[in-house]
Amino acid sequence: FEDGREVAREVAVTTTTGRKHQVRVHCAEGLGVPVFLDGKYGTWDDGRYRVPEEIRKVGEEEDGKRFFLHAEELSVPAFGIEMRAGLPAWWERVTDSLERRSVMI
């Protein structure tokens, strides 16, 4: 929360095709809330979205190549493939920082 307003929310999405592009487009254009730091579908410079400093720093560190979309699980039943991945350390640091800040407000 920032100034009493929510600035971020973690959501879970299940896709059937495995295409991250479809999640990005639906969030931005369908819901009107793009994935944080998505350079293709997010419009962070138009004043509509207030990006917390913790999140802005992540984008600057990677020259805009990193954004907040993570595949926690991937499965391809036809090939017997099933994988899981936890959140990256940088994501955990940002989440922890935002949670601490929301408690302080």
Side-chain angles (χ1 to χ4, degrees), residues 15-63:
T15 63
T16 56
T17 63
R19 309 272 307 188
K20 71 177 181 180
H21 171 81
Q22 117 190 109
V23 172
R24 295 165 66 190
V25 124
H26 285 296
C27 284
E29 296 178 7
L31 299 174
V33 286
V35 172
F36 268 132
L37 301 179
D38 186 343
K40 183 167 185 157
Y41 297 103
T43 51
W44 306 108
D45 58 352
D46 69 359
R48 289 187 299 161
Y49 306 105
R50 295 186 67 190
V51 180
E53 187 61 28
E54 296 90 340
I55 292 174
R56 188 176 304 282
K57 284 180 185 176
V58 168
E60 291 170 357
E61 289 170 4
E62 295 295 319
D63 294 325

Side-chain angles (χ1 to χ4, degrees), residues 2-19:
E2 190 166 295
D3 298 330
R5 295 182 355 200
E6 186 176 51
V7 295
R9 179 173 292 209
E10 185 175 308
V11 296
V13 177
T14 301
T15 63
T16 56
T17 63
R19 309 272 307 188

